[in-house]
């Protein structure tokens, strides 16, 4: 009788252990593996380019919407849980997240606008976004630096190239010589 109880208890203990172990394995299997730097870089690149196009089109709403999608991505990257990226890339994501949050707050409450100098290599933003040129260009520069760490190469920003103005200046007429032009000799016919 004691043997039967011991066997039952042993079976119960083994069964419990297997249940705990298989539950832990199932939980570990259900958690997705962290995404690599290439995936993170492609997502950042897409949103950086969307942000650039919206801002340089002067579209405040689209700029805000893109910032709203960019900020959580940068938060995930800086936490290091969802993306397996280098520590310096996590630092860059943290910095970009702070800039994106500041820009989002400034767009929501223009009275809190910070004076940040624009990036000299980028053209100023048009229309209602002109006052936040420095903030937005700083964020774009930080995102480009982050992309360098994630992808190795950084595609150029889709910034519109300003048209070079062509002056409408009439050309002066060339003066004609006072003397008649000499006649060119006509070759003799060949027989």
């Amino acid at each position: 009788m004691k043997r039967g109880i011991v066997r039952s208890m042993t079976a119960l203990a083994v069964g419990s252990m297997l249940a705990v172990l298989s539950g832990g394995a199932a939980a570990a299997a259900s958690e997705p593996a962290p995404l690599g730097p290439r995936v993170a870089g492609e997502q950042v690149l897409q949103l950086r380019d969307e942000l650039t196009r919206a801002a340089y089109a002067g579209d405040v709403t689209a700029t805000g919407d893109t910032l709203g999608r960019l900020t959580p991505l940068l938060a995930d990257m800086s936490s290091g849980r969802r993306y397996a990226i280098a520590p310096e890339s996590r630092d860059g994501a943290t910095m970009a997240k702070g800039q994106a949050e500041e820009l989002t707050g400034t767009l929501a409450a223009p009275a809190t606008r910070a004076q940040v100098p624009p990036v000299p290599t980028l053209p100023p933003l048009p229309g209602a976004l002109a006052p936040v040129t420095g903030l937005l260009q700083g964020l774009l520069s930080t995102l480009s630096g982050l992309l360098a760490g994630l992808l190795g190469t950084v595609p150029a920003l889709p910034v519109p190239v300003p048209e070079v103005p062509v002056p409408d200046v009439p050309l002066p007429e060339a003066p004609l010589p006072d003397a008649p032009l000499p006649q060119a000799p006509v070759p003799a016919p060949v027989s």
Side-chain angles (χ1 to χ4, degrees):
M1 173 114 174
K2 284 187 176 185
R3 272 188 164 163
I5 294 174
V6 170
R7 275 191 189 151
S8 296
M9 290 177 73
T10 304
L12 181 63
V14 169
S16 296
M17 242 168 50
L18 287 174
V20 167
L21 291 175
S22 65
S30 67
E31 288 184 30
L35 301 172
R38 183 137 215 77
V39 172
E42 289 168 358
Q43 292 174 351
V44 170
L45 177 63
Q46 178 185 354
L47 290 171
R48 181 203 69 167
D49 289 353
E50 281 181 35
L51 181 63
T52 303
R53 286 185 194 96
Y56 279 97
D59 190 339
V60 177
T61 303
T63 299
D65 290 347
T66 305
L67 285 167
R69 292 192 327 268
L70 179 63
T71 303
L73 171 64
L74 294 170
D76 284 346
M77 291 174 64
S78 63
S79 74
R81 286 188 297 269
R82 183 164 179 198
Y83 295 93
I85 58 176
E88 53 274 1
S89 292
R90 281 197 307 270
D91 292 345
T94 301
M95 188 166 125
K97 178 182 164 280
Q99 290 174 312
E101 289 171 339
E102 181 181 5
L103 183 57
T104 300
T106 302
L107 289 175
T112 63
R113 191 166 285 140
Q115 297 299 318
V116 177
V119 176
T121 58
L122 296 173
L125 294 169
L129 290 171
V132 294
T133 293
L135 286 173
L136 198 124
Q137 289 178 345
L139 173 59
L140 293 175
S141 292
T142 301
L143 291 173
S144 294
L146 176 59
L147 286 168
L150 295 170
L151 300 175
T153 60
V154 183
L157 283 167
V159 177
V161 177
E163 291 184 28
V164 177
V166 178
D168 188 25
V169 178
L171 295 174
E173 290 189 31
L176 296 176
D178 290 335
L181 295 175
Q183 293 293 325
V186 179
V190 180
S191 36

